Amino acid sequence: MSPTNRTATSTGHERPTVRTSSRSGLADSALGTRNLMMIAALAVVSMILLVPLNYLAPAAGASPDAVLLGCAIMGLWLVPYLLPATVVRRPGAVMIAALLMGIMCVFTTPTGPAAIVGNLIGGAFVEVPLAILLYRKWAWWSFLISAATFGLLNGIMYVSVMSASAGMAPASAGVIIAVVSALVGGGLTILLTRLLNRAGVGIDHRTTGRA
């Protein structure tokens, strides 16, 4: 064997092997440290809305007008659940935030342990439409689809329960108001997300072609 061949063979055996960490995929998911911390922070901040809304909700069944008012503020209920989707944009981010908010609501609202179930249902109303799109469309229109779904399903449940206590027949007007309010809340959430991006929170996906 010539010196040249021996050198080539030796060099070939000394080439470093590129290894990829099994945690690299996890780091980019909703369970990654950075994303998880961001989800937790959003959940804590969202309690500023959720706590007063949970105390206000029982009063919404006092009269028919109060029921419609409750439907009109559906957009405020949406913001805490949609914000993790618009900021973090990772599968499962909404459900993780919903679970954290539910746990905090157990100790800060009159709903008790039922708050965990309620928050997970609210999170599912936002997460499922994104899952149906296979988490490939993180655009304004996909967020508004989630918002409309949240408003529609919550509106139906809300009107059905509260109208009974208020002594009125379930009204489709309340559901329509809830959907419109949720769409407005979705638009505000998207706007808030862009403001957070400018402040350095999350990633401005418009610059990466993903918005």
Side-chain angles (χ1 to χ4, degrees):
M1 181 180 293
S2 66
T4 304
N5 290 337
R6 287 198 301 270
T7 303
T9 303
S10 176
T11 303
H13 284 295
E14 293 176 359
R15 288 178 181 175
T17 302
V18 178
R19 299 180 183 275
T20 57
S21 173
S22 59
R23 296 184 179 181
S24 59
L26 181 63
D28 193 47
S29 71
L31 295 175
T33 302
R34 179 177 180 274
N35 290 329
L36 194 58
M37 290 180 64
M38 192 178 304
I39 293 170
L42 292 173
V44 171
V45 172
S46 294
M47 295 301 293
I48 297 174
L49 271 178
L50 284 183
V51 171
L53 285 174
N54 273 278
Y55 279 94
L56 181 63
S63 68
D65 291 339
V67 173
L68 294 179
L69 177 61
C71 293
I73 62 174
M74 192 63 67
L76 295 178
W77 284 99
L78 169 73
V79 174
Y81 302 102
L82 186 60
L83 199 57
T86 59
V87 174
V88 181
R89 300 194 180 194
R90 294 293 185 275
V94 176
M95 297 307 296
I96 294 173
L99 177 60
L100 294 176
M101 291 186 291
I103 294 173
M104 287 185 283
C105 282
V106 170
F107 304 100
T108 57
T109 68
T111 51
I116 297 177
V117 177
N119 277 275
L120 288 176
I121 292 175
F125 289 163
V126 172
E127 182 94 30
V128 170
L130 297 173
I132 292 176
L133 295 173
L134 303 179
Y135 297 110
R136 294 180 180 177
K137 301 296 182 181
W138 301 96
W140 64 268
W141 56 266
S142 63
F143 298 138
L144 291 185
I145 290 176
S146 288
T149 303
F150 181 93
L152 176 64
L153 298 179
N154 263 315
I156 293 173
M157 294 171 57
Y158 188 80
V159 170
S160 299
V161 174
M162 290 302 179
S163 59
S165 61
M168 60 177 282
S172 59
V175 178
I176 295 174
I177 292 173
V179 172
V180 173
S181 175
L183 287 172
V184 173
L188 291 176
T189 304
I190 294 172
L191 177 61
L192 177 60
T193 299
R194 292 180 179 177
L195 293 176
L196 290 173
N197 291 158
R198 292 179 182 178
V201 179
I203 300 175
D204 191 348
H205 296 275
R206 291 177 297 166
T207 62
T208 60
R210 294 182 57 186

